[in-house]
Amino acid sequence: MNDVKRAMDVYLNGLRNQHAVETQAIGTIQNELPRMEAYPDLHAKMKADHERSVTQAARLDDLLAKHGSKKSLLKEAVTGTVATVAGFAHAAAGDEVLKNVLAAIGFKAYEISSYKVLITLADASGASDDKSVLEQSMKEEQEMGDWLGSHLPSFVQGYLAQKSA
Ligand SMILES: [Fe+2]
């Protein structure tokens, strides 16, 4: 196996992993959305991020299909992961929304780095054509991560206001 082929193997595996990450994001957001209704801005943004994650997962699906990977197996994985994530629904603790936002910021940082890795692997595999799609997803993750980080103080204010109501 030559270096480019070996890099392609690593790249395809990376695309599959990122597809699983996006699928997890979709399930987690679905699960958390009902508890974010007291925070309308956050709720709207998370809803948009849910739709974006579906698009991002579809982009990864398309890239895998382009390189000859089977799509149907991935679709099955989607359903399975969402069901698993939904199983973690608990009664909401008071500060759970804040904890979820912190987790989401960490998750976005992970996704930004994952896309950076995939972009590097695309180059090494001779798949530079894939880069613009991956860069688009990375930009979206960055935008969401920045939005969450910059709005964190207002979520804390909202939480305090709710507590004293
Ligand atoms: Fe994502």
Side-chain angles (χ1 to χ4, degrees):
M1 202 186 268
N2 65 33
D3 284 354
V4 173
K5 264 199 108 176
R6 201 169 297 131
M8 181 52 91
D9 266 5
V10 177
Y11 174 52
L12 291 179
N13 207 37
L15 290 176
R16 278 184 216 108
N17 286 340
Q18 187 58 21
H19 189 277
V21 167
E22 294 296 355
T23 304
Q24 197 194 327
I26 293 163
T28 303
I29 297 168
Q30 229 158 267
N31 192 30
E32 291 175 0
L33 266 180
R35 277 170 266 158
M36 291 180 171
E37 270 162 10
Y39 302 76
D41 288 358
L42 177 64
H43 188 267
K45 197 77 183 171
M46 288 301 275
K47 225 180 142 191
D49 194 56
H50 180 269
E51 279 155 35
R52 271 182 168 181
S53 302
V54 171
T55 304
Q56 290 163 352
R59 285 177 188 145
L60 294 162
D61 246 351
D62 289 346
L63 290 178
L64 281 164
K66 179 180 149 188
H67 295 293
S69 206
K70 279 179 197 147
K71 268 182 128 183
S72 55
L73 285 173
L74 291 164
K75 289 276 155 64
E76 278 167 22
V78 172
T79 328
T81 311
V82 171
T84 308
V85 173
F88 287 112
H90 305 298
D95 62 348
E96 194 166 336
V97 169
L98 291 180
K99 286 178 180 155
N100 287 344
V101 169
L102 292 180
I105 291 171
F107 201 79
K108 286 297 153 194
Y110 177 86
E111 287 200 280
I112 293 161
S113 299
S114 293
Y115 279 111
K116 214 171 276 178
V117 169
L118 288 174
I119 289 162
T120 309
L121 286 171
D123 260 337
S125 324
S128 304
D129 285 1
D130 295 2
K131 277 167 62 182
S132 61
V133 167
L134 295 167
E135 276 161 1
Q136 177 61 33
S137 293
M138 186 173 72
K139 255 197 349 219
E140 291 167 1
E141 308 296 11
Q142 246 150 4
E143 193 268 334
M144 182 62 179
D146 289 350
W147 189 91
L148 287 170
S150 64
H151 286 74
L152 199 47
S154 76
F155 303 142
V156 177
Q157 298 298 340
Y159 170 63
L160 290 174
Q162 270 184 348
K163 258 187 103 86
S164 62

